[in-house]
Structure formats: structure tokens, C-alpha cells
Amino acid sequence: MLLLDEPTAALDLRHQELVLRLCRGRAATGAAVGPPSDVLRPALLSRVYRHPVEVLPHPRTGAALVLPHRP
């Protein structure tokens, strides 16, 4: 089992993509992966980050974008 906490935070774009490709490959072979809809919820993430957040769909891909809430 892999438990990843911000695995791409300190990486350049190329290495971020390599890490995420590896994660997608593991998921495709049956490794346990939580559905993003279970984790990427504003209330949960706001508690974790101790700051209000918004979760919006990316305009092109539809992937979840987590952004700080700014009134």
C-alpha cells in the first residue's frame, strides 16, 4: 500500500507527471485508490488545511482543482 501526502509538492512538472503516471499505473493494476469524490470535498479539505477551499472542475479536463477560497 502506498500512502502519499503531497507527493509532487517539491517536484518540477516533468517529475510530477512521472510520479502521477506511476500512481495511475499502480491503480490500474488493482492497488487501492480512494475515489477523488470521497476525498476532494471542500468541507473535508478545509478542515485538513485549516483554511477554506473550493473544489472546481478544470475547464478543459474536468479534473478537480483545489483552490483557496477568497471572498
Side-chain angles (χ1 to χ4, degrees):
M1 175 184 0
L2 296 174
L3 179 60
L4 305 174
D5 179 21
E6 299 186 28
T8 62
L11 301 177
D12 60 46
L13 288 175
R14 177 177 179 272
H15 288 96
Q16 288 177 14
E17 286 300 311
L18 290 171
V19 167
L20 294 174
R21 187 177 306 140
L22 174 66
C23 292
R24 284 189 297 272
R26 296 274 306 181
T29 63
V33 176
S37 60
D38 286 354
V39 179
L40 298 178
R41 297 183 321 220
L44 174 62
L45 293 174
S46 293
R47 280 197 315 270
V48 169
Y49 290 125
R50 292 180 291 168
H51 186 85
V53 302
E54 296 180 80
V55 179
L56 306 170
H58 185 280
R60 185 174 51 83
T61 66
L65 297 174
V66 178
L67 304 169
H69 175 72
R70 294 187 178 119

